Amino acid sequence: MRAVFVVLCVLLWSLPVLAQSPENAAPGQEEKAAVEKAPEPTAADLFRSSDKTWKKRNRKGSIQKSLEFAENALKIAATPKERFGAYWRIARACFWIAEWAKNDDLKEDMGKKGWEAGQEAVKLEPNRVEGYYFGGIALAQYGKAIGVVSAVFKGVSGDYEEALEKAIKIDPKYELAGPTRGYGRYWFKLPAVKRDYNRSAKLLEQSAKDSPLKLRTHFYLAETYLKRDKGDDREKARKALETCIGLDPAKEDYADGILFKPQCKKLLEKEFGAKE
């Protein structure tokens, strides 16, 4: 009888210990504890996540995640350097969303938001290229949304020129020669009264020289040659398109290049009746 009493006492004493052991823990208890102990992401962590999803922005939902990570980084940014990093990434994501938006309202909203974020980045780091470049190309999308003529009258044209000229002065080879490419495209897209195909061609030729693997640049250059249509421009356009088709998007910014390769094929077939 005494032995039975001792055994019961031992069992009762062991119950709390057994209840706390991992194999007897309530389902999800360990996972919950692990989540509670996980450190909050830093601004640097969120920047890495924003950059990672940016590289996959041709995939559905990735660009929205890139923007979200940048916006979350801005919320916790503790230094001017961190705020700068957040703002230019916001401008970058807004540009892409605006460029591929299927309606003008979204294009206008994202273009404006990107421009404003770029301006904030410029205030923090006026000698860095990112704010001028991404803010500027986002502004170009805003201009498309409201109409090129309206954009010129509203002063958007002047703001864009100033931003891209500063970007070119700071680092014309940034983002695979993006500043000269963006500025060259601008002179192609302007209303007839301000349009300048010669200036467009010169800037795009420089961009192609500085970054010959960039498919988008060759597509833009071909369109400029075809519209200018002087001398051997059509032959130059054909060569630019053939160059574009022969390039590997993986050797540049894949998410961008993979979208422009079919555009080069389509334009080549349309203008020259040629296929790859």
Side-chain angles (χ1 to χ4, degrees), residues 100 215-216 219-220 244 256-264:
W100 297 98
L215 280 78
R216 183 192 286 250
F219 177 76
Y220 284 173
C244 175
D256 189 74
I258 197 65
L259 294 175
F260 273 88
K261 191 160 188 170
Q263 293 196 48
C264 287

Side-chain angles (χ1 to χ4, degrees), residues 172-185 200-214 216-218 220-221:
K173 297 181 181 181
Y174 179 68
E175 283 289 292
L176 299 173
T180 46
R181 179 174 58 254
Y183 208 25
R185 187 61 168 176
S200 175
K202 183 178 180 180
L203 285 160
L204 290 169
E205 286 165 353
Q206 184 62 52
S207 184
K209 180 180 178 181
D210 289 338
S211 186
L213 300 181
K214 186 67 180 174
R216 183 192 286 250
T217 304
H218 294 292
Y220 284 173
L221 191 52

Side-chain angles (χ1 to χ4, degrees), residues 7-155:
V7 171
L8 286 172
C9 288
V10 171
L11 288 171
L12 289 171
W13 177 81
S14 301
L15 282 175
V17 177
L18 290 170
Q20 293 175 22
S21 64
E23 59 270 23
N24 290 282
Q29 187 173 333
E30 279 189 83
E31 291 83 353
K32 183 178 180 181
V35 170
E36 290 175 348
K37 292 179 181 179
E40 291 294 325
T42 65
D45 293 332
L46 292 168
F47 290 158
R48 282 190 288 271
S49 295
S50 182
D51 293 343
K52 184 177 180 179
T53 47
W54 166 257
K55 291 178 181 179
K56 301 176 182 179
R57 62 193 182 278
N58 59 306
R59 300 181 186 178
K60 186 176 180 180
S62 290
I63 190 60
Q64 286 76 17
K65 290 180 181 178
S66 184
L67 176 58
E68 183 179 336
F69 285 130
E71 290 178 327
N72 287 339
L74 182 60
K75 293 176 184 177
I76 63 170
T79 66
K81 182 179 179 180
E82 289 180 343
R83 291 196 294 276
F84 168 74
Y87 275 125
W88 74 255
R89 285 176 172 86
I90 290 171
R92 179 179 68 178
C94 287
F95 151 71
W96 186 265
I97 294 172
E99 182 176 38
W100 297 98
K102 294 182 179 180
N103 66 79
D104 286 342
D105 288 340
L106 180 59
K107 184 183 290 288
E108 180 178 344
D109 290 344
M110 288 293 102
K112 183 178 180 182
K113 181 176 179 178
W115 166 245
E116 291 172 348
Q119 288 294 95
E120 292 299 323
V122 166
K123 290 177 186 176
L124 291 164
E125 292 284 356
N127 295 318
R128 292 280 297 269
V129 67
E130 294 92 335
Y132 296 110
Y133 175 63
F134 287 117
I137 59 178
L139 181 65
Q141 298 305 315
Y142 170 77
K144 290 180 184 178
I146 65 173
V148 180
V149 175
S150 295
V152 170
F153 281 110
K154 287 186 175 183

Side-chain angles (χ1 to χ4, degrees), residues 175-239:
E175 283 289 292
L176 299 173
T180 46
R181 179 174 58 254
Y183 208 25
R185 187 61 168 176
Y186 165 78
W187 291 105
F188 172 87
K189 283 289 189 178
L190 283 171
V193 67
K194 289 194 66 177
R195 191 178 303 141
D196 191 334
Y197 292 137
N198 290 329
R199 195 169 183 180
S200 175
K202 183 178 180 180
L203 285 160
L204 290 169
E205 286 165 353
Q206 184 62 52
S207 184
K209 180 180 178 181
D210 289 338
S211 186
L213 300 181
K214 186 67 180 174
L215 280 78
R216 183 192 286 250
T217 304
H218 294 292
F219 177 76
Y220 284 173
L221 191 52
E223 286 202 319
T224 292
Y225 287 144
L226 288 169
K227 285 293 185 180
R228 188 173 66 175
D229 196 18
K230 293 180 180 179
D232 60 348
D233 276 349
R234 282 192 62 81
E235 179 61 17
K236 287 181 179 179
R238 184 183 63 78
K239 288 181 178 179

